[in-house]
Amino acid sequence: MLELHKQAEEMIRARGERATSARVHVLATLLAEQRAVAHHEIEERVRRKQKLDRVTLYRVLEWLQEKCLVHRVVSADRIWLFRANLDAHPHPHAHFECTRCTTVICLDDMKAEYDRQLPPGYRSHEIELRVKGLCAECT
Amino acid sequence: MLELHKQAEEMIRARGERATSARVHVLATLLAEQRAVAHHEIEERVRRKQKLDRVTLYRVLEWLQEKCLVHRVVSADRIWLFRANLDAHPHPHAHFECTRCTTVICLDDMKAEYDRQLPPGYRSHEIELRVKGLCAECT
DNA sequence: AGTTAAATGCAACTTTGTTGCAATACTACC
DNA sequence: GGTAGTATTGCAACAAAGTTGCATTTAACT
């Protein structure tokens, strides 16, 4: 736990940014998870240890994302889920969503190229791939 | 225009369902578009000709979807976009989203299989693929 | 320790979508 | 063509997710 706080703080300072209490707690919380986590869940967890405003959390998450310390993915019910980036320069990757427990995890780097022809004049520069199914616990 | 209303009404009656004014207008509006359209835009268009409550529109769209007359896809800002199904039994397909004008269109049938190994115990039964880039008009 | 820009908390607001219930409209039947 | 009965609609109120403006506090630098 304390380990993760240290790690979070270092990740932020390594970028030459201000390591505020809110940022460190939020990032540490995300580092503790192997999955993508929703705003309300992060809020709940951080609040056990620290006062934290809803709005501040929105701003912290936005900031962490700008700094590439975190990335986000849309959940099945169309809210953002956040996941700490272990790698400094994260590669695009696919996500897996369990249709029963709604957990979202990151899959390996995705090399899928969209091999079909796009309509004339269209250009692609990014691909989002989401695999839905049942996770190990829900199978 | 009138053509589309007739077409919409026939599509609904072909399923043995009640062709109400709201359903016909909404479906005709979607049939007129070659792209996926947001709730607020449908609302605005239908209202030029017909009184229509927000809630009714939500319910009509849900109903059209259940009857497979329409399918929906999440937009970049996480709202639902709706598109009329030309085919009675629509195949899964990919979507293209223009990052400038945010227009979403449907692409050809997607045969993309996720060829990577999932974690042990995980099973996939559906894949969602979204290509982002610039459309012909924004290039 | 003091200074200062950046970050935070609070209140109010917006957008998207949902629920319950009473009023209305569509269809089938006569 | 009128009517009965159920499905659909409109209204009001609500809920969740996210945003904005502004005054206050805090982190980092000297």
Side-chain angles (χ1 to χ4, degrees):
Chain A
M1 259 311 169
L2 201 61
E3 284 303 309
L4 293 176
H5 278 247
K6 270 188 192 162
Q7 187 187 343
E9 188 174 340
E10 271 165 33
M11 285 171 72
I12 294 167
R13 288 200 198 282
R15 282 186 174 46
E17 301 287 345
R18 294 170 64 162
T20 68
S21 173
R23 286 175 185 168
V24 172
H25 274 85
V26 172
L27 184 51
T29 301
L30 289 176
L31 284 170
E33 289 291 337
Q34 305 306 315
R35 62 190 174 90
V37 188
H39 179 279
H40 64 85
E41 200 177 339
I42 304 170
E43 191 182 358
E44 189 192 314
R45 294 196 178 205
V46 174
R47 274 193 176 157
R48 286 183 202 148
K49 315 197 167 178
Q50 244 240 350
K51 179 184 181 180
L52 178 69
D53 191 69
R54 253 163 42 83
V55 177
T56 302
L57 178 51
Y58 277 114
R59 292 197 267 230
V60 164
L61 288 169
E62 193 185 1
W63 184 90
L64 287 170
Q65 203 194 330
E66 275 166 20
K67 302 300 171 190
C68 287
L69 292 168
V70 145
H71 68 278
R72 63 181 191 183
V73 54
V74 183
S75 86
D77 35 356
R78 301 185 328 287
I79 59 174
W80 290 119
L81 302 181
F82 296 85
R83 176 91 166 83
N85 289 337
L86 304 168
D87 201 331
H89 294 290
H91 318 289
H93 57 272
H95 291 97
F96 179 92
E97 174 195 312
C98 178
T99 49
R100 209 170 84 175
C101 67
T102 73
T103 296
V104 174
I105 63 167
C106 300
L107 298 174
D108 287 343
D109 300 332
M110 168 180 61
K111 61 163 180 251
E113 289 298 319
Y114 188 70
D115 56 347
R116 300 296 188 108
Q117 203 79 23
L118 292 172
Y122 282 62
R123 285 187 304 171
S124 111
H125 62 63
E126 194 189 334
I127 292 179
E128 241 179 68
L129 180 62
R130 168 187 299 252
V131 183
K132 296 186 182 182
L134 293 173
C135 74
E137 307 218 338
C138 292
T139 298
Chain B
M1 262 308 168
L2 201 61
E3 283 303 310
L4 293 176
H5 278 245
K6 268 187 195 167
Q7 187 186 343
E9 188 174 338
E10 271 166 33
M11 284 170 73
I12 294 168
R13 289 199 197 283
R15 281 187 175 45
E17 299 289 343
R18 292 170 68 159
T20 68
S21 173
R23 287 176 185 167
V24 173
H25 274 86
V26 171
L27 184 51
T29 301
L30 289 176
L31 284 169
E33 288 291 336
Q34 305 307 315
R35 62 191 175 89
V37 188
H39 179 278
H40 64 84
E41 201 178 335
I42 303 170
E43 190 181 359
E44 190 194 312
R45 295 197 176 203
V46 174
R47 274 195 177 155
R48 286 184 202 148
K49 314 199 167 177
Q50 245 242 349
K51 179 184 181 182
L52 178 69
D53 190 69
R54 253 165 41 81
V55 178
T56 301
L57 179 50
Y58 278 114
R59 292 197 267 229
V60 164
L61 288 169
E62 194 186 0
W63 185 90
L64 287 170
Q65 203 193 330
E66 274 165 20
K67 302 300 171 191
C68 288
L69 293 167
V70 145
H71 69 279
R72 62 181 193 184
V73 54
V74 182
S75 86
D77 35 356
R78 301 185 329 289
I79 59 173
W80 290 118
L81 302 181
F82 296 85
R83 177 89 169 83
N85 288 337
L86 304 167
D87 201 330
H89 294 290
H91 318 289
H93 56 271
H95 290 98
F96 179 92
E97 174 195 311
C98 178
T99 49
R100 209 170 85 177
C101 66
T102 74
T103 296
V104 173
I105 63 165
C106 300
L107 298 174
D108 287 344
D109 300 332
M110 168 181 62
K111 62 162 177 249
E113 289 299 320
Y114 188 71
D115 56 346
R116 301 295 189 108
Q117 204 80 22
L118 292 173
Y122 281 63
R123 283 188 305 172
S124 112
H125 61 64
E126 194 188 335
I127 292 179
E128 241 179 67
L129 180 61
R130 168 188 299 251
V131 183
K132 295 186 184 185
L134 293 173
C135 73
E137 305 219 338
C138 292
T139 297

